[in-house]
Every structure is written in C-alpha cells, then in structure tokens.
Amino acid sequence: MRMKFFAALALTVAMGSALMVFATPPPAGSGSITGKVTYTGTPMKMKPIDMSKEPSCAKQHATPITTENVATGPGNTLQWVVVYISAGDEGTTTASQGVRYDQKGCQYLPHVLTMLAGQQLQIYNDDQTSHNIHPLAKVNQEWNKSQPPGSPPIDTKWDKPEFIAVKCNIHPWMHGYFAVLKTSHVSITGEDGTFDIKGLSPGKYTVTAWQEQYGTKTQDVTVGAGAATANFVFTATPY
Amino acid sequence: MTLKKFAVTFALGSMALLTAGATVSTAQSHVNSPDPLLGTPSVATETSNIDGITGHAESGKHLYRRFCIGCHGPDGNGQGMNAQWIDPKPRDFTEATFKCRSTPTGTLPTDEDLYNAITRGFVTTNMPSWRPLNPQQRADLVAFIKTWSPRWAKEKPGASLNIPPETAITIESILHGRELFQKLECWKCHGPEGHADGPSASTLTDSKGNPILPFNFSTGERFMCGDSNRDLYRIFMTGLDGSPMPSFADVIQPNDAWDLVHFLRTLQVALPNQELTLWQTYKAAHGKDLKPIGPDSAGGAQ
C-alpha cells in the first residue's frame, strides 16, 4: 500500500513537471517535416461499395466509391495516414475553431478527421436518410445517436487523445476515424502519400505515422530552418 | 502464483444461488480489484445509493466473487470461465458502458439504473435476475461494479431522462407513432413488422465486434431494460450503449415519443395489450388504406 502511494506520488510529480514543460510552447517556427508514406507487401484491395440498399445515396455517386481503410495510390503510396508530432514541441494545445465532419452520400467526409482533444466537433447529416453515428471510443466514452435528415448538427468534443473508429450501424459500409490528438502539428497524407507538417521551430521531434489497419510507426527527426524529410514504410497485409 | 489458483467454484448464476446461504470464504480473494489504477474508486471506500440504501463495495466484492465471477470474470472484463459459452457476452465492467440507462448515451448510468438491471436480469440472455438477493446485497454489488473503471471516480452519472406523463392511448397516437417508426427508420434494423429483419439487421455487430440482432417485437420476448411503457419510452430515447441501438433523445419530442411507444406495442403481437386490441380493430376496418412500412412508403426517406 505504501509503495503504491509513493509510486503514485512520483508519477504525479513527473506528470506535473511534464505539464510545465508543455504549458508554454515556443512560438511556431518556419521549419517543417515533409515526406511520403508507402507500403511493401500486398495490401487488401480497395473494393467498390454497393449502396443499392440506399438508393438516395447510391445515386450521388456516378461510379461507386471504394473502401478507404487501405487507400493506395501509384508507387505504393498510402492515403489517409495521420502523421503527427508525438514528442517535442506539440504546438497549440487549445483550438479557437471547431472542426466539421459530414455524412454525405453515405460516406464520411473526410474519411479521417484530425482534431485536438477538447476541440469542438460538429457532425452534419447532409443525406436524405437517417444515419446513426456511433464513435466506438475506448479511451473516451462511446455513444450512439440517430441523426435523421434535416436534424441540426451534433455538437460534441473528445477529452482525451485517441484514434476513434466511427461507424453507422444502418449503413455498415460507412467507416471513418476521428484522430484526436494533443498536438496541432499534424498532416494527413493525400492521394500521393505525401504529408507536410508546418510551423515547426528548430529542434528534435518524434514523428508518428498512424494507419488504421497497420498501426503506428515512429521516427526521430531533427528540424533546422527549412524542411526536414521523414518517410514511412508500412508492411501491408492482404486482409 | 497462488492468485491464479483461486478456484472459481461457482459456475452459472442459478447454481450459485443454491449456495447463497453459505458463509463467504475469508481467503485472500483473486477478485483483482483495480485499486492500483490511478483514480479508480477503491473497494474500501466506494459506495452506492439506492433509494435510501447505501451499498458498500467491500461487501459487494464478496458477493461478486460468489455470484458473478463465473461470467463477469475475476478482472471484471466479462471473461469469466463461463463467458465462452455465452452469447451475448457478459458485460465488461472495465469499459463502464451499459445498456439499460436512464441517462444520455455516452454517460454513466445512475446507481439505480444498475440496481434495476441487476434486479431485473436480462431476459433472453444468460444474465439472471438477482431478485433473490436482498436489496442491501444488490446495492453492495452496484458499489463494487463501480470499482472496475476509473470513470466512476472522475465523472458523474448523466442526468436521468425526464419522462412526462403518458398521453392517452388512441388510434391517432398509434398512427402517428407508426409514421415515426417509418420516418426515423427503426424498420431498417427492426423490420417493417418488427420481426428483426430490416435491410441492415444481418450486418449488425456490437461494439466488441460480435454479431447482434435487433430486438424482435413479434415473438413475445420481453424488453431487457424493463417492461412498462415508461421503460419502453426510456429505451429508445437513451439507446443501448455498446450495441447498434442508437439514442433518439435529441430527435424525438416528448409527446411524439409516447406515440411511438403506443405503436411499438402493436408490434408485440404475441403479448396481448391494449394498444394491440385497438390497432387490430382499426386495421380490420382500414387496413387496406395503410401504406406498408419500408423503403417505398411515402413519408419515408425519399
């Protein structure tokens, strides 16, 4: 019991001092970290989504959209990878503006949305059908709300950093992610697999890349005045 | 590891009940209370409060070991030795996600919600009714359950849903409820006649990824979260967290909710009830004029 108490005390003290370090982040700099995220191996195929059960959505897509959990491009690039500063100067820790998430054509837009812990999040239903929005949070608390057509946006926020899978149980093909971070130094890879984390002051950083199927990869990067480079390679599996 | 040797003697709840009178062993328990987690309510101090009864986690711990451990497990994570045989799976208390709540989706239930769930049991699942335990014992168990997750130390339960007095059971009320069932797309999961055969029904999984079916209204099965019209009102307003059944609290007005309750009763064709009788009379005369519920019905999702 006594041991536990001291361990807890030590931890609290450690956390306290860590907080003090981050409480006053240095001003944003002109440095950046750019790079590309690719894979080796055989990834699962992007499959066309059959929305025939929801005609009001199906007709919004001239050609069927494809699954996005592993979105690949020419040259083995990976889209929708969240690349962020996981140690070093983490940037702004409070946000002045909210972020917006849309359900449109029975698809989540964007597929992965980044936000800060505590940042306001507004969820819209732009469709002519009901969605139930069901963030499967584990660190934060999961909830599950119906949002019929024409309802006001759902106003919410997440208190703790977590990658939260989002689904609609009514339309089982709808999958997305909330990437709740404690850093504003983040970039999501585009179709060409590239990212660009801007506004960094010179210094040492740990950079983490997260892909929803393949997990995280981390590397240390030193940033000078200009752009530093960091590339990430994930090992793909066909399932 | 003597801890691991702790013999889980009690298998299913019903068997455990047979020994309810026996003395509780004083051996060191393998109920791994999550005390070491920072901020977790401790077994020594956590309490519950139900209608004037104060439950104590310390006493609840012994009861848990005797009656609940076989299903909910020594670590409270729903992985007791019997869990593998059970579907749906026993609740994982470390997640503090509960189905039968009077509180908004995403919030902790009240002590009373947990107490009622334990008392009632979950008909149609392996979770027995614990009515044979006395109220003090059930309150003690509620207090103990709250020691499995740090959320209980950090958060307060949500505010209980305010349920206005029930409106009159009329054919207008039922018809309006039927429109809501169509418009809010309950049928996509529950099916046009409530037979659990809507277009999304076969694809549903719970939050742990296990397949789950919507409630089938037609079989005579009772609701897990209570049987009265007030219970039914609360069920769809707050939703069943951890399952695909969403909360409708933000999208249904109080009086409309009563209309929906009245309509849902008419789907329970195997359980004679007032709404059903009224509805059957109406249908005998006007059935032909009713648009079937489903994708092509006007007033639905265009």
Side-chain angles (χ1 to χ4, degrees):
Chain A
M1 195 59 207
R2 187 146 303 163
M3 293 258 297
K4 246 185 267 165
F5 173 74
F6 282 121
L9 189 67
L11 193 59
T12 321
V13 171
M15 278 172 20
S17 48
L19 274 177
M20 264 145 50
V21 172
F22 291 122
T24 47
S30 59
S32 66
I33 302 174
T34 62
K36 195 176 249 191
V37 181
T38 54
Y39 65 87
T40 56
T42 316
M44 62 169 82
K45 287 228 160 52
M46 297 192 284
K47 294 190 201 76
I49 292 171
D50 174 10
M51 292 191 193
S52 54
K53 275 187 181 167
E54 198 59 76
S56 70
C57 283
K59 71 176 185 222
Q60 294 185 46
H61 306 285
T63 49
I65 58 162
T66 50
T67 52
E68 295 170 294
N69 34 359
V70 178
T72 57
N76 288 7
T77 56
L78 284 170
Q79 192 187 355
W80 298 121
V81 179
V82 179
V83 189
Y84 62 101
I85 303 295
S86 49
D89 164 24
E90 292 172 340
T92 331
T93 43
T94 52
S96 45
Q97 277 189 326
V99 285
R100 177 178 173 137
Y101 197 56
D102 282 89
Q103 302 157 96
K104 192 168 172 32
C106 290
Q107 187 182 18
Y108 291 124
L109 300 177
H111 174 62
V112 179
L113 179 67
T114 64
M115 68 199 80
L116 281 163
Q119 187 169 11
Q120 218 56 41
L121 162 66
Q122 289 205 310
I123 304 167
Y124 288 77
N125 179 5
D126 309 322
D127 283 330
Q128 292 306 307
T129 179
S130 278
H131 292 296
N132 76 296
I133 175 140
H134 193 171
L136 298 166
K138 298 283 171 224
V139 180
N140 294 280
Q141 189 54 28
E142 80 163 88
W143 48 259
N144 181 2
K145 289 184 181 185
S146 166
Q147 195 177 29
S151 343
I154 292 172
D155 237 318
T156 185
K157 64 184 167 61
W158 298 101
D159 291 331
K160 294 169 216 144
E162 181 182 2
F163 294 100
I164 303 172
V166 184
K167 76 187 271 182
C168 171
N169 298 96
I170 300 171
H171 306 107
W173 59 83
M174 289 175 71
H175 278 287
Y177 268 92
F178 295 143
V180 186
L181 302 169
K182 55 178 181 177
T183 177
S184 56
H185 288 150
V186 58
S187 172
I188 295 189
T189 57
E191 275 176 78
D192 61 356
T194 62
F195 67 90
D196 185 359
I197 306 174
K198 292 195 181 73
L200 301 175
S201 25
K204 270 186 177 290
Y205 294 89
T206 305
V207 185
T208 298
W210 172 89
Q211 204 282 342
E212 61 185 272
Q213 296 287 316
Y214 306 142
T216 56
K217 294 234 175 247
T218 292
Q219 55 180 287
D220 290 331
V221 181
T222 304
V223 173
T229 308
N231 294 316
F232 292 89
V233 183
F234 283 96
T235 311
T237 43
Y239 42 81
Chain B
M1 266 305 264
T2 48
L3 278 184
K4 287 276 171 232
K5 282 211 184 128
F6 177 78
V8 184
T9 354
F10 302 104
L12 298 173
S14 47
M15 288 167 63
L17 269 185
L18 296 175
T19 59
T23 3
V24 174
S25 145
T26 48
Q28 271 308 300
S29 123
H30 170 49
V31 176
N32 271 339
S33 70
D35 282 3
L37 277 181
L38 268 178
T40 302
S42 89
V43 174
T45 57
E46 182 66 2
T47 58
S48 68
N49 214 303
I50 294 113
D51 221 6
I53 303 172
T54 304
H56 298 281
E58 194 62 57
S59 320
K61 177 174 170 175
H62 299 294
L63 294 161
Y64 181 91
R65 192 171 58 191
R66 176 169 290 263
F67 299 117
C68 322
I69 202 168
C71 291
H72 293 283
D75 300 317
N77 59 6
Q79 294 176 18
M81 58 190 281
N82 301 314
Q84 56 178 319
W85 316 115
I86 289 178
D87 177 32
K89 295 294 171 208
R91 189 70 68 255
D92 174 353
F93 298 133
T94 66
E95 297 201 327
T97 296
F98 294 95
K99 286 185 180 170
C100 303
R101 291 164 294 98
S102 63
T103 61
T105 178
T107 64
L108 292 171
T110 63
D111 289 353
E112 203 149 14
D113 291 338
L114 290 176
Y115 181 88
N116 291 342
I118 292 170
T119 304
R120 202 168 41 227
F122 279 50
V123 282
T124 73
T125 83
N126 285 287
M127 167 70 186
S129 161
W130 296 97
R131 215 179 287 277
L133 299 180
N134 67 40
Q136 179 65 53
Q137 289 173 309
R138 280 176 265 153
D140 291 341
L141 281 161
V142 169
F144 181 65
I145 283 173
K146 297 199 293 180
T147 63
W148 291 117
S149 162
R151 288 189 67 209
W152 292 101
K154 295 190 190 129
E155 294 167 41
K156 285 199 161 45
S160 278
L161 180 74
N162 180 29
I163 305 181
E166 183 167 355
T167 57
I169 299 171
T170 61
I171 200 65
E172 290 72 29
S173 172
I174 294 174
L175 280 168
H176 186 228
R178 187 173 184 270
E179 269 170 41
L180 291 168
F181 189 82
Q182 164 76 33
K183 197 173 118 206
L184 297 170
E185 303 183 33
C186 311
W187 59 271
K188 287 228 171 120
C189 294
H190 291 281
E193 309 279 330
H195 293 176
D197 57 356
S200 309
S202 63
T203 67
L204 301 176
T205 53
D206 68 17
S207 301
K208 297 228 175 205
N210 299 312
I212 187 169
L213 279 175
F215 184 80
N216 185 339
F217 288 85
S218 68
T219 57
E221 213 170 79
R222 310 240 166 212
F223 304 121
M224 296 188 295
C225 300
D227 243 358
S228 70
N229 278 8
R230 281 178 70 84
D231 292 326
L232 183 48
Y233 184 113
R234 196 185 49 242
I235 287 168
F236 61 73
M237 289 302 248
T238 66
L240 271 59
D241 283 1
S243 92
M245 172 67 201
S247 161
F248 288 84
D250 295 342
V251 296
I252 307 183
Q253 296 306 312
N255 282 353
D256 291 349
W258 280 121
D259 294 340
L260 185 53
V261 167
H262 296 152
F263 171 70
L264 294 176
R265 288 296 185 200
T266 70
L267 299 174
Q268 293 186 293
V269 289
L271 288 176
N273 63 69
Q274 198 187 335
E275 292 86 345
L276 180 60
T277 313
L278 196 61
W279 182 240
Q280 280 168 339
T281 317
Y282 177 83
K283 249 174 61 173
H286 306 278
K288 280 195 290 298
D289 308 334
L290 286 169
K291 281 223 167 69
I293 286 174
D296 297 319
S297 174
Q302 307 80 20

